[in-house]
Amino acid sequence: MIEQLLNKKDLSREDIIYVLNSTEEESGYLFKYSARKKEQHVGNNVYLRGLVEFSNICAKNCFYCGIRQANKKVKRYNITDKEILTAARYAYENNYGSLVLQSGELQSESFTTRIENLLKEIKRLSNNQLGITLSCGEQTEEVYKKWFEAGAHRYLLRIEASNPELYQKLHPLDDLHRFEKRLESLYLLKKCGYQTGTGVMIGLPFQSVEHLADDLLFMKNLDIDMCGMGPYIEHADTPLYQYRDQLLPLSERFVLTMKMVALLRIMMPDINIASTTALQAIDESGRTKMIQVGANVLMPNITPGQYKNDYALYENKPGIDKDIEDFKDYLEIQMKSAGNQIKYSEWGDSIHYKLKRKQPK
């Protein structure tokens, strides 16, 4: 059954639900199939994005997030420009190819100007060799344009849940947390020319496999260029923690994430898919396993060590990238064992994006 299903040109909602509910034996076939799709369309290549979590100050109060504005237990930080540029120089000199600048969500003229200046300086210090992804939340079209023109060319804005009713259960009911605004921001990013990425959490309270099937169809219909999605991991200092007894076991959330990554690779074979850090909080080899079933991007955390533990979106955040020099060697070994090759000094832009740009308008 699953073999015939996966060979269909387009998977229906019912097909996706069936695969998400698949048995262990069927899942084995799914993972082999998605691995072949990856090899055919993007090759067994892995691209690095040095991740700098430069601030955990956030204006939002999302019910799942450990750095939500109302959590007074968080030790807030804001890395200096000098520290950010030092991390960028490290990524450049160690042939990472790309950088990700990620922070809590803020909207202000000073924040806009700061990011704009940092982008220009990173481009200068790397002789325009470092690719740059931003993950700094919802902004106006004017701000997105400024940042794009300053040198950012990829942007990750996770929808977290594409179902409006589920989305609302994860956020306060106010103008700062509107589903429509999140969606509008994604369309603005596409309009501004970014390689646009989104993603969801898997294993949330109130979430069903039907929701997850719709998430995959949402990403396909939005025609995204890249994706970062991972398992939901609860945090004690958040409102959603009260529902922890209703959650799937972590091991099941992990397998469900593998199925989601594999299915997205099959449905959108030439996009970039990140193997996210949260996986490592469940399984020591989590990121490698996702690479094997379809992911092709890794984001080693190069945030200065004294800040890493304070960017606590969820509990038990892994400290695996603590000694970044040793971690590079570890990654190399892991990727070779997974039959993949790290492509150093390459931006690793989305093939899907490149092909779209070539199409006549």
Side-chain angles (χ1 to χ4, degrees):
M1 169 70 179
I2 198 167
E3 296 176 33
Q4 296 173 323
L5 190 153
L6 291 176
N7 279 299
K8 290 171 67 173
K9 185 180 179 184
D10 290 302
L11 296 180
S12 68
R13 184 174 188 263
E14 291 70 30
D15 295 334
I16 296 167
I17 292 167
Y18 179 90
V19 175
L20 289 173
N21 285 321
S22 59
T23 65
E24 187 175 346
E25 183 180 350
E26 288 176 320
S27 298
Y29 182 86
L30 165 68
F31 299 148
K32 288 177 183 174
Y33 189 88
S34 62
R36 287 201 304 273
K37 277 285 183 184
K38 174 187 168 183
E39 184 174 11
Q40 290 165 7
H41 291 270
V42 296
N44 286 330
N45 300 315
V46 176
Y47 299 98
L48 300 182
R49 317 268 190 253
L51 174 63
V52 184
E53 296 165 332
F54 66 90
S55 174
N56 67 353
I57 300 169
C58 190
K60 291 207 164 187
N61 262 316
C62 306
F63 294 155
Y64 50 81
C65 184
I67 66 167
R68 61 196 306 268
Q69 192 269 338
N71 184 8
K72 303 307 179 187
K73 296 181 182 179
V74 177
K75 180 183 175 184
R76 301 292 173 177
Y77 73 86
N78 192 7
I79 295 177
T80 66
D81 289 3
K82 183 179 178 182
E83 288 171 309
I84 293 171
L85 295 174
T86 297
R89 189 172 287 106
Y90 174 88
Y92 171 55
E93 291 174 351
N94 285 271
N95 306 312
Y96 274 48
S98 285
L99 193 71
V100 178
L101 295 181
Q102 184 172 28
S103 69
E105 296 200 26
L106 297 172
Q107 287 189 354
S108 72
E109 189 175 337
S110 60
F111 185 72
T112 299
T113 302
R114 183 190 187 203
I115 300 300
E116 185 179 9
N117 290 338
L118 280 167
L119 290 167
K120 290 176 181 176
E121 189 59 25
I122 290 166
K123 285 294 182 180
R124 188 199 63 77
L125 73 83
S126 70
N127 299 311
N128 203 34
Q129 296 299 302
L130 269 183
I132 305 176
T133 303
L134 290 179
S135 183
C136 299
E138 297 165 15
Q139 305 291 338
T140 64
E141 181 177 355
E142 180 187 10
V143 171
Y144 285 146
K145 279 182 178 175
K146 278 185 179 179
W147 290 349
F148 186 81
E149 289 165 3
H153 60 286
R154 294 187 289 252
Y155 203 107
L156 177 66
L157 183 71
R158 286 175 40 147
I159 194 80
E160 303 301 6
S162 67
N163 178 281
E165 290 76 28
L166 178 57
Y167 186 94
Q168 201 55 70
K169 290 180 180 178
L170 309 176
H171 301 88
L173 188 61
D174 60 31
D175 282 345
L176 197 60
H177 300 83
R178 289 191 302 116
F179 177 81
E180 294 77 14
K181 173 64 176 171
R182 199 76 172 174
L183 194 55
E184 179 193 10
S185 295
L186 284 166
Y187 282 109
L188 287 176
L189 287 165
K190 288 167 66 73
K191 180 183 176 183
C192 291
Y194 286 94
Q195 294 172 52
T196 303
T198 193
V200 296
M201 285 182 288
I202 298 150
L204 283 160
F206 323 118
Q207 187 184 60
S208 65
V209 289
E210 287 78 13
H211 285 133
L212 291 171
D214 289 337
D215 287 338
L216 290 170
L217 291 169
F218 167 83
M219 290 188 274
K220 183 174 173 60
N221 292 333
L222 186 62
D223 199 24
I224 62 170
D225 305 300
M226 57 190 203
C227 176
M229 59 181 169
Y232 166 68
I233 300 175
E234 60 272 29
H235 191 295
D237 300 321
T238 62
L240 282 191
Y241 192 69
Q242 63 185 300
Y243 302 105
R244 62 193 179 281
D245 294 336
Q246 301 174 22
L247 299 173
L248 290 171
L250 281 171
S251 59
E252 291 184 31
R253 280 178 253 172
F254 184 88
V255 172
L256 202 49
T257 302
M258 286 185 73
K259 290 178 181 179
M260 288 285 285
V261 167
L263 275 164
L264 187 60
R265 176 57 69 199
I266 292 164
M267 294 168 66
M268 303 189 76
D270 55 1
I271 69 169
N272 280 345
I273 302 177
S275 183
T276 56
T277 309
L279 300 160
Q280 218 80 1
I282 300 175
D283 185 319
E284 190 178 341
S285 303
R287 291 200 286 200
T288 303
K289 289 179 179 178
M290 293 301 156
I291 292 291
Q292 289 176 307
V293 302
N296 67 326
V297 170
L298 285 172
M299 299 186 292
N301 194 329
I302 60 171
T303 307
Q306 67 267 37
Y307 303 109
K308 283 184 184 179
N309 291 337
D310 295 319
Y311 201 83
L313 306 181
Y314 49 86
E315 293 192 329
N316 302 317
K317 184 180 175 184
I320 51 162
D321 308 352
K322 200 160 279 184
D323 189 331
I324 198 66
E325 293 297 337
D326 290 344
F327 184 66
K328 269 187 72 180
D329 295 337
Y330 167 81
L331 267 189
E332 188 74 45
I333 293 166
Q334 289 294 305
M335 292 305 102
K336 281 183 179 175
S337 70
N340 278 252
Q341 178 184 10
I342 296 175
K343 304 294 282 185
Y344 291 105
S345 300
E346 293 190 24
W347 284 10
D349 280 341
S350 166
I351 293 173
H352 186 75
Y353 176 86
K354 290 178 183 176
L355 291 174
K356 278 193 297 187
R357 304 292 279 191
K358 288 180 181 177
Q359 290 174 0
K361 297 191 177 179

